[in-house]
Amino acid sequence: MSSDWLSVTDSEVVMPWIIDIDGFFRKSVENRMLADNMTKEAIDSIFNNAVRILGRCPNPNIQEEIAETGIVIGKVQSGKTSNFISVLALAFDNGYDIAIVLGGNTLNLLKQNASRISSAFSVDTEKLTVLKTNDNKTLINPARIKDFIENGRKVIIVGLKHNKHIDQIAEIFNNEFLADKSVLIIDDEGDQATLNTRAYQQSISTTYASVLNLKNKLKSHCFLSVTATPQANILIEAFDTLSPDFGELVYPGEGYCGLQEFHAENADKYIKEIPESEPNLLDDMGVPESVYQAMALFFVGNAIRRSRGDMGTHAMLIHPSQKKFDHRIVEQKIQSILDEWKSKAKTYLAGRRDISYNSLRILLQSAYDSFVLDGVICHPFEDLENQILDRIKQCSPVLVCNSDENASENAELYKTNIFVGGNLVERGITFKGLAVTYITRRAKGKSNVDNTEQRARWFGYKAKYLDVCRVFTTKDIKDDFSSILEHDEDMWASIERAQERGIPFKDMPRIFKLARSAYLNLTRRNVARTENFALSEWKPQRYFTANDQIVLQNTAAIADYRNKYEKLLIEQKHNSVQVHRVLQNQRFEQVYKELISKMQFASNEVLDSKYFAKLNDALIKLKLDIPVDVYWIRDIDHSTRKISEDYSIQQLFQGRNPNTSSPMYYDGDRSLADKEPEHMQLQIHFVKPTNMPEISYYAPALALYVPESCADALSKLVVRSNG
């Protein structure tokens, strides 16, 4: 299993220059990956990505002044470090002598990045020299760097995203010899710190100014941002120096567990909602019951893993706040519980039965029963009990992880760890063996999608023990991530479509979905701002129709329409489940007249009668005669979905299967528009609740796709009329 990114496509990409893929540094990095139990297939996919990315960078073997800015977009916690290291390896094998990695904004992250890079290459220092801006100041000067290169060394300078560190790096390029070199700059977590945070103050932030200064000193270079949350990079003005000239998507490999795994159909299994009636962990009212439950699940899950022969590290993260003072409060509370549990475990394991143990045993038994109810295969509780208590006894003390403390070195001394963290948790820090997360941190007002998604350290849980992984969080945070999932899939689909049509990255339409726009911004308003558009490419029906009379009426209207065109329907089979029927090349005006106008919708529905009527009028007014394809989605095996208390449908669309090699692979419902991207598409879904046993019927639900060209014309019309 590997959680490293895989290639977007297996089709050949024509490169502007020929790249050697079998050089010394490629082989060195590959050997290290193999030693880390990565499969050859996964490694080849990573280097295929690297070839594609490096091919967009300047050719260092020709004298040409080129400044490129690119972005590599992956998924949170999906192994991006190995991907940019593979780009560096190929760069060194193909004529680059010097590279710069801007990694994080704390010394802990700087140290971690430099260590990972050195370890990944694992070559003699006379072949590759890795320098850090804080520890190697006396070597980061023109004379020493020039000397390294003339003696056949490749050089990587790892620096903080801080103006003093970046200016320190920039000074070496005052040397003519070095200024003439082609340079590859990797901006790790490229949506953070380096962008201009004063863009709307008609000013320039200090770190951004230092980046511009560095770029201006280089004649030939590529500034390559690497991130899983590219909203800010995409939304900044196209004329901004750091606005990407090109973008590359790289998908996570087999076994990656991210948004789709946790926040779609399996949300209720993996996400445990903290009751609103409970006090907050930071309150002076003791410890919430859900904390005890989370800790019990953590230790029981650890024992289950060990009973299977999995002796790997097992970790729990508690993320209550960004404030260090709060971390101390939580550390003391959790440590007090842990000390009490350790004492009871030691007493019981020593053969001394104490009645006080019963309260702990009840908690552990309840956690075990919860796993069994969720379908986890495990030995009887009595057989696991001593193993559970041993894990409690062997657990680390509570380890604080923030800008004051780096718990990683202490964590190496234990196989079972509990962490409390803050801002440092958001970026770069990886918790080995993370299995349980307890997160209550959320902004009081609007949260930013990119920062919120980066806090999801549970992305990256390993598939081999996913069944015992859990996330405890509030309803607001759970709902945030449900919305972010929909936005993320929509954003990726938009980028894919632009690439397939050959639209330059700078010209790609910046129209993205965000259901909870009242609670979420796409990114920081001091970097980039957004506004709501009347139309996006995809607009699904939000609410399940629970009125059986309306369902009967709508179902009959759909059946009448289908019967009229039955002989024209075409079967579209993707696998045994994803079997659709399609009626192609219809006129929207006719579809509206014969079908949509005869249906009823919920009063709070976005995609309602008024919406369709307005759309029909707008198309007629603008004389846009765009073909419409009508899809009956999952025509044989209809959909089942979780329905919320307000009857909203959780994830109407079926998402992409992350395993591209599976016989059940499916690109996802949204991808159906890729076959005819300039057609409108009306999808008819039939949905039955998974959590409302009193409802036995499937209710129709619609989803509408509007092509970019049409959406652009319609949005302009709406803007003008509202102006």
Side-chain angles (χ1 to χ4, degrees):
M1 183 209 71
S2 168
S3 63
D4 293 278
W5 296 340
L6 298 179
S7 177
V8 167
T9 177
D10 293 328
S11 62
E12 291 188 9
V13 178
V14 179
M15 295 299 161
W17 54 289
I18 297 173
I19 295 173
D20 176 13
I21 61 172
D22 292 313
F24 170 80
F25 289 99
R26 150 73 192 252
K27 291 176 181 176
S28 299
V29 170
E30 180 174 343
N31 288 336
R32 179 66 192 190
M33 289 176 172
L34 289 169
D36 290 337
N37 298 317
M38 195 177 294
T39 66
K40 185 67 167 62
E41 181 183 15
I43 294 169
D44 288 343
S45 294
I46 290 170
F47 277 100
N48 285 341
N49 291 338
V51 170
R52 197 176 67 250
I53 294 163
L54 186 61
R56 306 295 297 270
C57 301
N59 183 348
N61 303 303
I62 59 176
Q63 291 296 318
E64 196 171 1
E65 294 190 16
I66 302 176
E68 289 285 341
T69 300
I71 186 168
V72 176
I73 303 168
K75 298 286 187 180
V76 172
Q77 291 283 86
S78 67
K80 69 180 185 306
T81 303
S82 61
N83 279 265
F84 77 66
I85 284 172
S86 67
V87 176
L88 290 172
L90 290 185
F92 290 146
D93 283 332
N94 286 275
Y96 280 84
D97 293 321
I98 184 169
I100 297 163
V101 177
L102 303 179
N105 54 8
T106 68
L107 292 176
N108 286 334
L109 282 176
L110 175 63
K111 180 180 179 181
Q112 177 178 281
N113 272 313
S115 176
R116 285 180 177 177
I117 291 168
S118 296
S119 176
F121 278 95
S122 192
V123 298
D124 192 293
T125 189
E126 291 191 351
K127 293 284 188 183
L128 173 65
T129 300
V130 180
L131 304 172
K132 300 189 288 291
T133 50
N134 62 325
D135 292 340
N136 306 116
K137 292 180 181 178
T138 58
L139 295 179
I140 301 176
N141 62 69
R144 297 285 75 79
I145 303 298
K146 182 173 182 288
D147 186 54
F148 285 141
I149 292 173
E150 288 181 334
N151 284 315
R153 297 194 193 197
K154 305 293 185 180
V155 177
I156 298 176
I157 303 175
V158 186
L160 283 183
K161 295 188 182 187
H162 186 281
N163 61 297
K164 290 183 179 179
H165 290 254
I166 298 171
D167 289 342
Q168 177 189 349
I169 296 170
E171 285 179 8
I172 71 172
F173 296 103
N174 291 331
N175 178 279
E176 187 176 350
F177 172 83
L178 295 174
D180 282 339
K181 289 287 180 182
S182 292
V183 178
L184 184 58
I185 305 171
I186 303 292
D187 185 10
D188 190 18
E189 303 292 355
D191 59 303
Q192 182 195 39
T194 47
L195 299 177
N196 187 10
T197 58
R198 296 181 181 174
Y200 293 91
Q201 301 173 19
Q202 303 302 311
S203 183
I204 294 178
S205 54
T206 53
T207 304
Y208 177 72
S210 294
V211 170
L212 299 187
N213 176 51
L214 171 61
K215 285 172 62 66
N216 288 335
K217 288 178 181 290
L218 303 172
K219 294 179 181 178
S220 173
H221 73 278
C222 182
F223 188 93
L224 193 63
S225 294
V226 180
T227 182
T229 48
Q231 287 84 356
N233 306 73
I234 292 174
L235 291 168
I236 59 176
E237 297 289 352
F239 57 76
D240 191 295
T241 304
L242 295 188
S243 175
D245 301 310
F246 67 89
E248 293 289 347
L249 293 172
V250 282
Y251 292 107
E254 183 181 354
Y256 171 72
C257 304
L259 272 167
Q260 182 67 39
E261 190 67 47
F262 287 98
H263 298 284
E265 280 300 288
N266 292 322
D268 288 341
K269 177 178 179 180
Y270 296 120
I271 310 295
K272 301 299 180 183
E273 201 171 298
I274 299 170
E276 293 182 5
S277 58
E278 277 193 357
N280 190 284
L281 181 56
L282 297 172
D283 292 343
D284 294 329
M285 301 173 65
V287 178
E289 183 64 28
S290 57
V291 172
Y292 290 98
Q293 294 169 0
M295 291 179 67
L297 279 166
F298 170 65
F299 288 115
V300 172
N302 196 178
I304 291 172
R305 285 182 63 188
R306 289 192 158 238
S307 72
R308 299 168 178 172
D310 179 359
M311 303 299 174
T313 302
H314 199 72
M316 177 177 180
L317 170 65
I318 302 172
H319 188 17
S321 161
Q322 80 275 28
K323 298 177 181 177
K324 298 170 189 175
F325 178 77
D326 291 340
H327 301 161
R328 288 299 171 202
I329 293 174
V330 173
E331 177 198 18
Q332 292 169 12
K333 287 185 176 183
I334 303 302
Q335 189 62 55
S336 177
I337 297 170
L338 189 58
D339 289 342
E340 180 186 345
W341 286 16
K342 280 176 177 280
S343 176
K344 291 179 179 180
K346 290 175 184 177
T347 300
Y348 186 88
L349 291 172
R352 300 191 299 275
R353 300 297 185 259
D354 190 324
I355 194 170
S356 66
Y357 170 64
N358 288 343
S359 59
L360 174 58
R361 191 176 196 274
I362 290 170
L363 268 174
L364 299 176
Q365 177 77 60
S366 177
Y368 173 88
D369 292 343
S370 174
F371 278 133
V372 172
L373 284 173
D374 285 336
V376 177
I377 306 300
C378 47
H379 297 293
F381 177 78
E382 291 73 17
D383 295 346
L384 288 173
E385 189 170 9
N386 283 2
Q387 181 74 273
I388 297 169
L389 297 176
D390 181 68
R391 286 299 88 205
I392 294 174
K393 187 166 69 78
Q394 297 284 358
C395 184
S396 72
V398 178
L399 302 169
V400 176
C401 185
N402 56 32
S403 58
D404 284 347
E405 298 185 46
N406 180 8
S408 59
E409 291 188 11
N410 287 339
E412 292 295 326
L413 303 175
Y414 299 89
K415 282 295 190 74
T416 303
N417 294 297
I418 296 180
F419 298 92
V420 172
N423 279 354
L424 194 61
V425 169
E426 289 182 13
R427 303 270 181 170
I429 293 295
T430 299
F431 296 94
K432 190 175 180 182
L434 186 62
V436 174
T437 303
Y438 190 97
I439 179 170
T440 56
R441 178 186 172 188
R442 190 186 188 280
K444 291 182 180 179
K446 276 192 172 185
S447 295
N448 296 322
V449 167
D450 44 10
N451 286 341
T452 300
E453 192 172 353
Q454 286 287 354
R455 291 185 195 123
R457 295 294 97 183
W458 54 94
F459 298 168
Y461 281 174
K462 301 303 181 184
K464 66 179 180 181
Y465 60 87
L466 178 63
D467 61 336
V468 297
C469 294
R470 296 294 182 269
V471 179
F472 284 74
T473 193
T474 64
K475 183 178 187 302
D476 276 343
I477 294 175
K478 182 181 178 183
D479 289 346
D480 283 348
F481 277 99
S482 179
S483 177
I484 289 170
L485 167 62
E486 188 172 35
H487 158 72
D488 189 74
E489 290 196 340
D490 179 67
M491 180 179 67
W492 277 60
S494 297
I495 296 170
E496 287 173 332
R497 273 192 290 276
Q499 289 179 333
E500 289 168 3
R501 298 173 199 174
I503 299 173
F505 200 84
K506 281 186 182 292
D507 297 335
M508 180 185 70
R510 267 63 171 173
I511 303 175
F512 303 119
K513 292 176 68 80
L514 189 61
R516 282 170 61 84
S517 57
Y519 305 95
L520 292 166
N521 291 317
L522 285 181
T523 189
R524 310 174 301 286
R525 286 181 58 80
N526 62 346
V527 173
R529 297 180 182 178
T530 59
E531 62 182 9
N532 290 330
F533 284 84
L535 289 172
S536 59
E537 290 185 353
W538 275 109
K539 193 175 286 292
Q541 188 171 318
R542 295 287 180 197
Y543 296 94
F544 177 84
T545 305
N547 184 313
D548 55 359
Q549 292 302 313
I550 293 177
V551 170
L552 283 172
Q553 177 184 320
N554 289 348
T555 302
I558 293 169
D560 288 344
Y561 180 75
R562 176 167 177 157
N563 289 337
K564 182 174 182 178
Y565 296 101
E566 186 68 37
K567 293 181 180 179
L568 299 178
L569 297 186
I570 300 171
E571 182 183 273
Q572 194 177 99
K573 185 173 183 179
H574 299 263
N575 57 46
S576 58
V577 174
Q578 306 300 337
V579 182
H580 315 312
R581 294 294 189 282
V582 190
L583 177 62
Q584 297 177 323
N585 296 312
Q586 302 302 296
R587 295 182 64 243
F588 185 86
E589 186 177 1
Q590 198 70 17
V591 176
Y592 175 75
K593 179 181 178 181
E594 295 180 353
L595 173 60
I596 301 172
S597 64
K598 297 179 180 179
M599 297 180 66
Q600 292 189 45
F601 303 89
S603 59
N604 55 348
E605 184 61 66
V606 174
L607 208 64
D608 62 1
S609 300
K610 291 180 180 179
Y611 175 89
F612 282 113
K614 184 184 291 185
L615 176 59
N616 189 52
D617 289 343
L619 291 171
I620 294 171
K621 182 176 182 179
L622 293 173
K623 299 180 181 179
L624 292 174
D625 192 10
I626 300 170
V628 181
D629 298 327
V630 182
Y631 272 69
W632 279 260
I633 301 295
R634 283 172 287 284
D635 193 46
I636 300 172
D637 295 321
H638 295 329
S639 304
T640 57
R641 292 289 185 266
K642 169 81 179 295
I643 306 300
S644 302
E645 291 180 6
D646 64 351
Y647 289 98
S648 60
I649 304 169
Q650 293 197 8
Q651 306 301 332
L652 175 65
F653 290 124
Q654 178 69 42
R656 184 198 310 270
N657 184 332
N659 185 0
T660 56
S661 61
S662 169
M664 296 299 288
Y665 177 73
Y666 176 57
D667 272 336
D669 293 343
R670 286 184 178 85
S671 72
L672 297 174
D674 296 346
K675 298 181 182 303
E676 294 288 353
E678 294 305 321
H679 286 202
M680 294 177 69
Q681 186 176 120
L682 180 70
Q683 291 187 355
I684 302 172
H685 298 248
F686 282 88
V687 178
K688 184 170 75 173
T690 58
N691 58 323
M692 295 179 175
E694 69 275 15
I695 297 178
S696 59
Y697 55 79
Y698 288 87
L702 305 182
L704 181 70
Y705 166 81
V706 179
E708 292 170 0
S709 56
C710 178
D712 183 55
L714 290 169
S715 65
K716 289 176 182 176
L717 175 66
V718 170
V719 168
R720 285 196 297 270
S721 65
N722 290 338

